Amino acid sequence: MSTPRTRSALVALGAAALLTTSVAVPQATAADRTPTAFTWYDTTAETIATAGAPTQVTNSRTWAIGWLAAARATRAVPRGVERGPYQEAALAAAVHRALVALAPGRTEQLDAKLRTTLDAIPDGPAERRGTAAGRRQADLLLAARQGDGLDPASVNAPYPVRPAAPGVWQPTPPAYAPAVQYGNRLAQPFTLTSPHQFRLGPPPAPDSARHAADLAEVRAYGAADSTVRSPHQTETAAFWYGSSLTLYTEPLRVALSRTDQGVAGQARLVALFHVALVDTQIATSDSKYAYERWRPVTAIRTGSVDPDPQWTPLHTTPAHPDYPSGHTTYSGAAEAVLSTLAGPRTAPFDLTSPTAPGVTRTYTTWKQLSDENVDARVLSGIHTRSADEAGITLGKNVARHTLRNAARLLAAR
């Protein structure tokens, strides 16, 4: 395997504020304060980091509801009111309303943040009507998404494991934990007509040459005691081992800081990103549990080709099937949204990773993040390359569908 083109990755949530000085200040915003979109982006990230759900897709849903409400509320400005103050008030009120409903333990902090935002907006009809519009759109979305199957209990609905057989997923060491995220495929998407709308074709057959090649690569490069994986490759695996939602919080903020489309455009970017990622996670679980493909550790330990009962991956295998990789479906969708709405290339930006302390990398395209994700999951020993590459395809397909349906999605109710 060639050395992955690893450039870099993510900054922990607290570092997001470092980029605010590079952002052009909206016309209606005083030059000495953080623009409203960034205040509420950081507030959303902080709220989820401190009071979020234990399931990633539930937290993605929180982002999607708050920012889709903001995008709808800021899209059109009533005649006779100032655009800037109206949109700032609408964005803040929409995100605030959603976060209070979905993370009530942070109500005091969120109320204080809203007061600060509104205090900086001139009193008058623009502020009043913008606030009302934001709250209305949030309330409508919260009602529409009630019972959508993305709460933690529904996400982790029980999954009946099939009897062991070649290619069939089984609980993996060391914990042999029950499968998770099975319920995602039963949830209500935002724009997909059904969770299986973009279901992937089947993975390589267990007795195929491609599957044998996939396992040989993981066996060599993904083993905990690998003698062929380089230090740089080991670093790559560690860099991308954490939650995709956390890993992409900073890249999305970088894209947000470099858009010149005003408050409405900023809200639209964040909303479409997270709507696409909710639907991608639903579609991912649909394909995973449609094919129930075994993980590399099971295949290498128990398969028919030179089984090694002691083989151990570099990183612990998550408790759900191999195909496709959830990390790469996430990165494929993120790449598609960011490349379309912010352009495929960007000025260099440095990122760090909470799972690789002390490491900083630099990116200039969103595709570089996807490329590293593909390699990283093989190098961790937890996915086959077929699963990784299929994940990129699935994520891009779902994201492109979201973007094609953006006008309908963003229309105010």
Side-chain angles (χ1 to χ4, degrees):
M1 184 176 73
S2 60
T3 301
R5 294 173 296 159
T6 43
R7 279 95 171 177
S8 88
L10 114 187
V11 149
L13 297 179
L18 296 176
L19 289 170
T20 58
T21 55
S22 67
V23 180
V25 178
Q27 184 177 358
T29 305
D32 59 349
R33 69 179 177 89
T34 303
T36 300
F38 295 90
T39 294
W40 285 94
Y41 187 94
D42 296 341
T43 298
T44 307
E46 180 183 3
T47 298
I48 288 174
T50 57
T55 45
Q56 176 175 277
V57 71
T58 309
N59 293 325
S60 295
R61 173 186 184 269
T62 298
W63 275 97
I65 289 175
W67 285 83
L68 181 55
R72 289 176 175 177
T74 58
R75 191 178 187 200
V77 178
R79 300 180 68 175
V81 300
E82 291 186 68
R83 173 176 296 273
Y86 176 91
Q87 290 182 324
E88 290 189 42
L91 185 151
V95 178
H96 168 269
R97 188 77 144 206
L99 292 178
V100 166
L102 300 173
R106 296 286 294 176
T107 298
E108 182 179 352
Q109 295 89 340
L110 292 166
D111 286 350
K113 187 69 68 176
L114 182 62
R115 285 194 298 272
T116 299
T117 299
L118 296 180
D119 284 348
I121 298 173
D123 293 336
E127 181 195 45
R128 290 194 302 273
R129 296 181 69 177
T131 300
R135 289 171 175 165
R136 178 175 183 273
Q137 292 302 325
D139 288 343
L140 289 171
L141 260 173
L142 287 163
R145 298 301 302 184
Q146 185 72 28
D148 60 8
L150 292 172
D151 58 284
S154 298
V155 166
N156 289 328
Y159 162 72
V161 180
R162 289 171 52 199
V168 176
W169 183 83
Q170 299 294 301
T172 52
Y176 296 94
V180 296
Q181 300 176 12
Y182 173 71
N184 282 1
R185 71 192 303 245
L186 310 175
Q188 174 192 339
F190 277 86
T191 65
L192 296 178
T193 58
S194 71
H196 62 265
Q197 182 177 355
F198 292 103
R199 182 179 293 174
L200 293 163
D207 59 353
S208 66
R210 175 62 193 266
H211 189 54
D214 279 341
L215 292 182
E217 181 182 32
V218 178
R219 185 193 293 258
Y221 285 89
D225 58 356
S226 173
T227 59
V228 296
R229 187 181 59 243
S230 70
H232 186 74
Q233 290 172 323
T234 301
E235 179 187 284
T236 298
F239 205 90
W240 289 101
Y241 187 58
S243 153
S244 291
L245 178 65
T246 300
L247 294 171
Y248 272 88
T249 295
E250 182 63 15
L252 176 57
R253 196 183 195 283
V254 169
L256 189 69
S257 74
R258 295 172 182 181
T259 182
D260 58 358
Q261 299 182 37
V263 173
Q266 291 169 329
R268 180 172 62 249
L269 171 62
V270 179
L272 291 176
F273 183 97
H274 282 289
V275 165
L277 268 303
V278 169
D279 281 7
T280 293
Q281 290 171 84
I282 291 172
T284 298
S285 288
D286 173 77
S287 283
K288 277 183 179 290
Y289 287 99
Y291 296 114
E292 303 173 300
R293 173 48 60 92
W294 60 4
R295 286 280 186 161
V297 64
T298 305
I300 292 170
R301 287 188 176 193
T302 67
S304 60
V305 180
D306 191 20
D308 180 357
Q310 302 305 313
W311 188 88
T312 301
L314 174 64
H315 290 130
T316 301
T317 301
H320 44 75
D322 178 59
Y323 181 90
S325 160
H327 268 58
T328 63
T329 61
Y330 198 107
S331 61
E335 178 191 337
V337 172
L338 295 177
S339 294
T340 300
L341 300 182
R345 301 193 63 84
T346 184
F349 60 94
D350 291 342
L351 296 175
T352 62
S353 167
T355 52
V359 177
T360 300
R361 293 182 169 187
T362 304
Y363 290 106
T364 57
T365 71
W366 313 115
K367 183 178 183 298
Q368 291 170 328
L369 283 70
S370 296
D371 291 343
E372 283 199 357
N373 262 288
V374 169
D375 286 325
R377 308 311 272 174
V378 174
L379 297 168
S380 285
I382 58 180
H383 273 300
T384 61
R385 187 166 293 275
S386 290
D388 294 340
E389 292 174 347
I392 295 291
T393 297
L394 178 59
K396 288 182 176 180
N397 286 342
V398 174
R400 288 165 180 160
H401 175 79
T402 302
L403 295 171
R404 286 194 299 269
N405 287 273
R408 176 179 61 82
L409 183 69
L410 296 170
R413 273 39 176 184

